Amino acid sequence: MANTVAHRRIPELLNYMTKWLPECNPLYYMLENSHHSNNTWPRLETYTDSENLHSCNTVVCKALNYYKPPYNASYFAYSTDKNSLKNVLQHGGVINNTEMYASFELIPTSLIDTIKELTYNKYDFKQIYEETYALFPADKLIEKMQQVADTTLPHDCTMGPLLPKHIPLLEEKVKLPFTPKYANTLQHHLHYAVYDERNTPVSWVIQREDGNIGYGFTQPAYRGHFLSAILTAFAVVEVLKSGGKSYVIIPDASVQAARRNTELAGIYRYKDFKMTRLCVMKSKNNNKILHSPPGRL
């Protein structure tokens, strides 16, 4: 059974979910941003395993048309009970049999096998992409973070926001198994880029709707200047100063190498906790498994 949560009750649910932070970060910030926009972006359907929000074990959000087609459903979830999660997901209308593509976004890795078992066996989905990440919460403003944010940029470089005209560049350079709706994200969330002397972005980070400082990329010629660390620290400082919180995720396969920039920015790993992104599809041509793309999700 699944209880549909009315939009007016989202603040009540968010208050209850604080006890699960930071492990439920993606789900929490999707709900928070949806509430701030009156459920216009991101647009969510929210489900729990109980009408009493103060006793629920499972929260699932279905983001509608969060990515460009063919993905029309993206799921964010957190649960302390695998059977409860399974029951909510298989409730009528939560997962639609007509969906050809779906993504399960930054779900605690401990829950992924439950999701696979259900979606593969009941809904005939097959995996086309899977990636596991380490979590680096950025919920405290520390001196080191501010120092990195204030680092002088290389000669002739400046910092500024990305512009809508840069969306084709983002789609070209940040290789993902789906295509984000960058126009919506740039309109509603923080984003920063380093520009070269020709006023071309050479490095950037964007705060996603799920709170993650992601969609990052640095042009090869500018790597080694710690631009990613500077931008990440700057973005985190701005979020914290505004009263918000954020986090960074790093692919588990490259965490030892990539965490250098993150820790340089004063952001450290949360225990051994892991999150997984799973993309699935219904198709006769679904045998190919997509591997981890470059760029930071």
Side-chain angles (χ1 to χ4, degrees):
M1 176 180 177
N3 169 62
T4 302
V5 181
H7 182 69
R8 60 180 172 77
R9 298 192 68 190
I10 295 303
E12 179 185 353
L13 180 60
L14 287 170
N15 184 61
Y16 174 75
M17 289 173 59
T18 56
K19 69 178 186 178
W20 294 335
L21 295 172
E23 295 181 7
C24 72
N25 272 0
L27 171 64
Y28 183 92
Y29 293 115
M30 285 291 285
L31 278 166
E32 185 177 66
N33 285 314
S34 173
H35 177 67
H36 289 164
S37 70
N38 199 29
N39 203 28
T40 58
W41 184 258
R43 187 162 66 93
L44 306 179
E45 293 176 354
T46 305
Y47 306 93
T48 62
D49 61 340
S50 172
E51 292 185 7
N52 182 355
L53 301 185
H54 296 280
S55 64
C56 66
N57 298 306
T58 296
V59 180
V60 173
C61 282
K62 180 178 181 179
L64 305 173
N65 302 313
Y66 180 49
Y67 299 127
K68 289 186 177 181
Y71 287 90
N72 57 8
S74 301
Y75 296 87
F76 294 77
Y78 187 85
S79 180
T80 59
D81 184 318
K82 294 180 180 180
N83 287 328
S84 167
L85 173 63
K86 186 175 180 179
N87 288 335
V88 171
L89 286 174
Q90 65 184 348
H91 185 78
V94 179
I95 296 179
N96 194 318
N97 269 318
T98 63
E99 292 166 5
M100 297 301 296
Y101 288 79
S103 65
F104 294 86
E105 295 287 321
L106 305 181
I107 308 291
T109 302
S110 60
L111 301 174
I112 282 297
D113 284 346
T114 300
I115 292 173
K116 286 181 177 179
E117 179 186 2
L118 176 66
T119 57
Y120 297 178
N121 295 336
K122 181 171 182 176
Y123 297 98
D124 196 31
F125 280 117
K126 301 296 180 182
Q127 172 188 326
I128 56 172
Y129 174 86
E130 182 177 6
E131 184 72 271
T132 299
Y133 304 88
L135 172 63
F136 291 70
D139 52 8
K140 296 178 182 178
L141 180 57
I142 62 176
E143 183 178 356
K144 182 178 181 180
M145 193 182 297
Q146 185 67 66
Q147 290 173 345
V148 175
D150 293 338
T151 301
T152 302
L153 296 174
H155 181 63
D156 290 334
C157 286
T158 58
M159 187 184 298
L162 290 162
L163 302 174
K165 69 179 182 180
H166 298 135
I167 290 175
L169 178 64
L170 302 181
E171 294 179 343
E172 174 191 355
K173 297 298 183 182
V174 184
K175 302 299 183 182
L176 304 170
F178 42 73
T179 304
K181 292 187 175 180
Y182 285 117
N184 298 57
T185 303
L186 295 185
Q187 177 183 350
H188 291 280
H189 301 287
L190 294 175
H191 43 89
Y192 299 100
V194 171
Y195 289 81
D196 64 13
E197 69 279 4
R198 296 169 298 175
N199 206 31
T200 300
V202 296
S203 182
W204 57 82
V205 296
I206 302 171
Q207 186 178 33
R208 290 167 43 105
E209 290 74 13
D210 58 19
N212 169 31
I213 304 294
Y215 293 150
F217 182 84
T218 300
Q219 297 282 11
Y222 286 84
R223 293 172 187 172
H225 296 282
F226 304 109
L227 297 183
S228 176
I230 295 170
L231 285 169
T232 298
F234 188 88
V236 168
V237 168
E238 292 303 302
V239 171
L240 292 173
K241 284 183 176 179
S242 69
K245 296 180 181 179
S246 59
Y247 61 97
V248 172
I249 57 171
I250 295 178
D252 192 55
S254 59
V255 69
Q256 294 304 321
R259 71 189 298 174
R260 178 187 180 192
N261 279 339
T262 307
E263 294 185 351
L264 179 64
I267 306 170
Y268 299 91
R269 184 171 184 175
Y270 174 72
K271 301 180 180 179
D272 291 324
F273 181 76
K274 296 180 182 180
M275 299 174 166
T276 297
R277 171 179 282 115
L278 176 69
C279 297
V280 296
M281 70 179 289
K282 292 180 181 178
S283 171
K284 294 180 180 179
N285 300 316
N286 56 15
N287 295 320
K288 183 178 180 180
I289 305 296
L290 301 181
H291 296 285
S292 175
R296 196 170 75 213
L297 306 191

